[in-house]
Amino acid sequence: MTSPESIDSDDFRQRLAEALPSANIPTLLLLLHQFTGEERWLQAPYIVDRSRWDDNDSGGLPDAIQDEVRAAALDTITAWRAGKPIAKPDLTADELIRMMSFSESSKIPQEYAGLMMHRLKRYSGAAPEPVALKKGFHALIIGAGMSGVVAAFRLRQLGIPFTIIEKQDRAGGVWHSHHYPGCGVDTPGHLYSYTFASGDWSMYFPLQEEVEGYFNRVARQTGVEELVRFGTECVSTRYDEESHTWHSRLRLPDGSEEVLVTNVVISAVGAFTTPKFPPIPGLQEFDGPMVHTSKWDPTIDLHDKRVAVIGNGASAMQLVPAIADTVKSLTVFQRSKQWAAPFPKFRKKVPESVRLLFREVPHYEWLYRLRLSWIFDSQVHETLQKDPEWPHPERSINATNDGHREVFTRYIKEQLGDRLDLLEKVTPTFPPFGKRMLLDNGWYKSLLKPQVELIDGPVNKIEGKTVYGPDGEKRDVDVLVVATGYDVSRFLSPVEVIGRQGVTVREAWDDDDSQAYLGTVVPNFPNFFMLYGPNTALGHGGSFIFTVECQVDFVLSILRQMAEFSLVEVECRQDVYDTYNQHIQAMHQKMIWSHPGMSTYFRNARGRIVTNSPWRLVDYWKLTRQADLADFYTVPKAPNSQHRTESVPTEFEYTADPEPYHFQPGSTSA
């Protein structure tokens, strides 16, 4: 979405030459093949090494070969810039799979071709066909964070009238509200981007301020920002069965309220909204500054202070290295251990010259992002399946997972050196990826600092400014930081959602037993859609943004069919909902997150996995491309009509195929 700079030919060639030494060699090889049409760029001596953990900038090629690739790229891109046509401007699905398989030195299954072509089409800015809904149709989008912005953008593209509200004073969602020291993404920025909007990231893994700026810039450039009613909160929304509309009670910036009536409600409130505080006696009476990482107070002075951090999850691992050299002492209380993988591009800047390459040569960016989507979205999933014949289920779930354990353990030993006391404290006993996989942004090195102490156990109680550990040890502190995460199992908690017969979604879910069909729709809540719903999080890695885009496509498919068939109500069938959730839980039982060796926020109080998706991204993309009305009860537009139509419901069955389980909604085939 950035505009090309005005650069003359000589200056462009010079700046391109400055960029290429830092460019990604496998991506340049793909670009050379596409631009020249020459097969040699996908053959020896340019065969790249396989890389599992990063984007493999060098491709593992000798320096002389890398220099040859860069020199060819310089001439080829300069010629294209001067007007030479691209030899293969429209890649076929087969060719794209062949190219990507070459760049990864790994056979990418043919079924990914459609997904990659879909992404490539989105990257190039293709717009969908507009939707003609009945006159007066209106939708409400709750939230202008990452999910709300894409929903508003897509609805606007299709010409669907909507109102979008946001309780904060600007867009960005959690990236606006969360700003603790060290806060950032653990997904590459070029992947943590909408398919329709480039990021122009200054760092390969950007920090909070830049991520927030990205979402606000996209909202502004797409025209969404000017439509958002900021400072407006949805307190409750109630479905009226007679009129087939939702009545949403909004709290306005001045404290007054209004009721907005819409045909559809799209919740984009997210999951990281309600902080979780541990039930520690005396916590709320701490006699000093106390702050949760989700509600960081920048006025709190940490300089030369005795600080205690409760928790050692994702936010703590970012916070501790960021403040360790500021405080007088830092005590970390860990309830459970965590795996953290090497993070070679931590705080690594994208050179200005390479940023120009991304901006000025969109084909390079598209191919680079496609490679990232395979490396980070798709490779890990198969390694998270339990091998029932594996002889060491207490430490790992299969041979590959055991190999991961060896790699990560060796890395921890390298980081800690002779601190064997710390090695025992930080090395988990459960399998890697069993809990959220973290990236080491200096965590292990921070633990070696003389002013940093790790206590292996939870806080027992707090009295005044004294924090008591699990064995009665006590630490007097000046500032208390609570880094214990969020109440993620209670989806939709920021809004009271009331469906048929006055039943709230909390009652429908028995409080925290959150479920949804495709993470998006729930029976007895017609015309209500949620983004980032239950069982959509990517525990196997990758960018969640694309998952949300898939959900939005699914919602738009339903709205398009509401227009086509003159429907006023669409509601998920109970049997479809039940069968789907039984199916994905059966899938989870074969995956690592049901391993009994750890506690995790992935599971609710009943032990059911409510956050993570069991699907590969390609599976979820296929399932959400087109909604099947056979999975829904529908009510057509007709005077005084309340008749609900139905068709053959979805059936789900396991296949003997070695690939992960597949099914097609609305059919009887798996």
Side-chain angles (χ1 to χ4, degrees):
M1 294 186 62
T2 54
S3 300
E5 297 182 22
S6 178
I7 307 173
D8 63 41
S9 299
D10 292 339
D11 190 28
F12 175 77
R13 184 179 177 88
Q14 175 60 35
R15 295 175 69 175
L16 179 61
E18 295 170 357
L20 290 174
S22 300
N24 181 267
I25 292 294
T27 303
L28 289 179
L29 288 167
L30 297 179
L31 184 140
L32 284 169
H33 172 71
Q34 182 182 11
F35 275 33
T36 67
E38 297 176 8
E39 284 295 314
R40 69 188 184 99
W41 297 114
L42 303 185
Q43 300 171 355
Y46 309 109
I47 305 297
V48 302
D49 284 345
R50 184 175 182 180
S51 175
R52 284 186 175 273
W53 303 110
D54 58 30
D55 44 1
N56 196 15
D57 280 335
S58 71
L61 296 172
D63 291 343
I65 297 296
Q66 293 185 53
D67 290 342
E68 180 185 347
V69 172
R70 294 186 185 102
L74 179 63
D75 291 338
T76 300
I77 295 173
T78 302
W80 163 77
R81 175 86 173 196
K84 184 176 181 179
I86 297 173
K88 297 184 176 184
D90 299 312
L91 297 170
T92 66
D94 288 344
E95 182 135 41
L96 194 58
I97 282 292
R98 185 168 70 93
M99 291 168 64
M100 288 297 152
S101 295
F102 161 80
S103 77
E104 293 301 320
S105 290
S106 174
K107 178 61 178 176
I108 297 177
Q110 187 67 29
E111 63 182 317
Y112 282 87
L115 173 59
M116 290 187 173
M117 291 294 290
H118 170 83
R119 286 188 177 217
L120 198 59
K121 182 179 179 181
R122 287 283 180 85
Y123 292 157
S124 62
E129 291 293 325
V131 174
L133 284 153
K134 66 182 180 68
K135 184 177 181 181
F137 184 94
H138 203 82
L140 169 64
I141 302 172
I142 306 173
M146 176 260 288
S147 302
V149 168
V150 66
F153 168 68
R154 298 280 280 135
L155 261 65
R156 194 179 194 204
Q157 275 190 314
L158 272 63
I160 299 173
F162 64 91
T163 294
I164 178 170
I165 63 171
E166 169 57 53
K167 65 181 180 181
Q168 300 186 100
D169 59 0
R170 61 180 297 177
V174 296
W175 291 107
H176 176 50
S177 61
H178 291 49
H179 41 79
Y180 58 84
C183 182
V185 295
D186 54 7
T187 301
H190 294 94
L191 189 59
Y192 198 76
S193 305
Y194 298 121
T195 54
F196 57 85
S198 301
D200 191 23
W201 301 105
S202 70
M203 301 176 70
Y204 286 102
F205 288 79
L207 299 178
Q208 173 269 330
E209 185 176 1
E210 187 171 11
V211 179
E212 179 193 359
Y214 169 74
F215 290 123
N216 276 275
R217 183 171 68 254
V218 173
R220 182 172 60 256
Q221 293 179 345
T222 57
V224 168
E225 184 181 61
E226 64 189 34
L227 303 176
V228 181
R229 295 176 57 178
F230 290 109
T232 302
E233 180 179 6
C234 183
V235 178
S236 66
T237 184
R238 177 186 293 271
Y239 188 67
D240 181 76
E241 298 180 50
E242 184 175 350
S243 63
H244 311 293
T245 56
W246 284 92
H247 295 229
S248 302
R249 184 161 63 92
L250 310 182
R251 182 177 294 129
L252 310 185
D254 62 2
S256 63
E257 294 187 351
E258 74 170 71
V259 175
L260 179 67
V261 179
T262 60
N263 306 87
V264 162
V265 170
I266 301 174
S267 169
V269 300
F272 297 101
T273 55
T274 306
K276 180 187 291 184
F277 286 87
I280 299 172
L283 175 63
Q284 299 301 330
E285 289 74 45
F286 176 73
D287 188 18
M290 181 182 72
V291 61
H292 194 285
T293 48
S294 67
K295 303 291 183 182
W296 189 260
D297 182 356
T299 66
I300 291 180
D301 181 18
L302 300 180
H303 181 72
D304 205 31
K305 296 294 192 298
R306 300 170 300 176
V307 179
V309 176
I310 301 175
N312 67 319
S315 57
M317 279 202 174
Q318 293 184 337
L319 172 78
V320 167
I323 67 173
D325 293 330
T326 299
V327 303
K328 179 179 181 179
S329 66
L330 181 57
T331 305
V332 181
F333 293 87
Q334 70 171 12
R335 185 176 60 87
S336 60
K337 300 167 185 176
Q338 307 277 1
W339 285 107
F343 195 1
K345 285 195 170 179
F346 170 59
R347 296 290 176 94
K348 186 175 181 180
K349 291 185 177 295
V350 181
E352 288 296 329
S353 57
V354 175
R355 294 175 67 180
L356 177 135
L357 176 62
F358 278 118
R359 291 194 301 267
E360 296 290 320
V361 189
H363 303 78
Y364 176 86
E365 182 191 12
W366 300 343
L367 294 169
Y368 180 76
R369 290 179 69 175
L370 279 177
R371 290 192 71 247
L372 287 180
S373 71
W374 171 255
I375 295 168
F376 288 90
D377 277 353
S378 306
Q379 286 198 118
V380 174
H381 186 275
E382 67 179 83
T383 71
L384 304 184
Q385 311 299 316
K386 295 177 183 176
D387 177 359
E389 304 300 322
W390 178 244
H392 307 293
E394 74 286 351
R395 74 182 190 209
S396 51
I397 60 170
N398 55 47
T400 302
N401 186 245
D402 204 51
H404 291 161
R405 183 184 188 87
E406 291 181 8
V407 169
F408 297 149
T409 301
R410 184 166 58 248
Y411 173 75
I412 295 172
K413 290 179 179 179
E414 292 170 354
Q415 295 298 301
L416 297 181
D418 59 0
R419 289 292 303 275
L420 298 181
D421 59 315
L422 282 176
L423 181 63
E424 183 178 351
K425 283 185 177 181
V426 303
T427 306
T429 57
F430 60 86
F433 296 94
K435 301 175 72 167
R436 178 179 176 180
M437 196 68 204
L438 305 178
L439 296 178
D440 176 26
N441 59 347
W443 169 258
Y444 297 117
K445 291 299 185 184
S446 295
L447 297 181
L448 299 177
K449 297 178 183 292
Q451 72 273 26
V452 178
E453 178 187 22
L454 178 68
I455 293 181
D456 187 17
V459 173
N460 186 29
K461 65 177 179 178
I462 297 174
E463 293 179 349
K465 287 190 174 183
T466 303
V467 182
Y468 290 83
D471 297 322
E473 64 266 58
K474 61 181 182 179
R475 301 292 183 272
D476 293 327
V477 301
D478 303 307
V479 180
L480 186 62
V481 179
V482 182
T484 50
Y486 310 84
D487 187 2
V488 295
S489 63
R490 291 176 173 83
F491 286 84
L492 297 176
S493 58
V495 181
E496 183 182 36
V497 181
I498 307 167
R500 289 193 184 279
Q501 300 178 349
V503 175
T504 69
V505 75
R506 293 267 70 80
E507 293 169 333
W509 284 338
D510 193 17
D511 190 26
D512 71 342
D513 202 24
S514 306
Q515 304 179 56
Y517 177 49
L518 297 173
T520 310
V521 290
V522 179
N524 296 312
F525 294 84
N527 299 359
F528 181 86
F529 310 96
M530 70 183 109
L531 308 178
Y532 201 161
N535 295 113
T536 57
L538 297 177
H540 51 285
S543 173
F544 184 70
I545 290 181
F546 188 72
T547 295
V548 169
E549 290 195 49
C550 289
Q551 286 189 281
V552 172
D553 287 344
F554 181 74
V555 174
L556 295 180
S557 171
I558 293 175
L559 298 183
R560 190 181 294 277
Q561 293 180 79
M562 290 181 74
E564 181 180 356
F565 299 110
S566 298
L567 304 176
V568 295
E569 184 176 278
V570 175
E571 177 188 348
C572 179
R573 296 172 58 106
Q574 184 70 49
D575 52 354
V576 169
Y577 170 87
D578 290 340
T579 308
Y580 174 82
N581 283 284
Q582 292 165 8
H583 182 86
I584 62 173
Q585 290 305 314
M587 293 175 69
H588 275 307
Q589 290 306 307
K590 298 177 181 293
M591 298 183 71
I592 193 167
W593 302 306
S594 59
H595 191 281
M598 72 280 176
S599 62
T600 171
Y601 69 81
F602 298 160
R603 299 193 287 253
N604 64 8
R606 299 161 176 79
R608 199 175 64 80
I609 298 167
V610 295
T611 60
N612 285 7
S613 169
W615 301 110
R616 298 175 306 168
L617 197 63
V618 66
D619 299 325
Y620 191 74
W621 171 70
K622 290 177 181 178
L623 293 170
T624 53
R625 289 184 69 189
Q626 177 73 23
D628 193 326
L629 290 186
D631 297 329
F632 297 85
Y633 295 113
T634 60
V635 176
K637 179 185 178 183
N640 303 317
S641 173
Q642 294 292 323
H643 177 66
R644 299 205 302 174
T645 61
E646 57 183 278
S647 185
V648 179
T650 299
E651 292 185 9
F652 309 99
E653 56 189 44
Y654 295 124
T655 73
D657 192 279
E659 296 291 341
Y661 306 128
H662 299 274
F663 59 85
Q664 293 297 324
S667 72
T668 58
S669 61

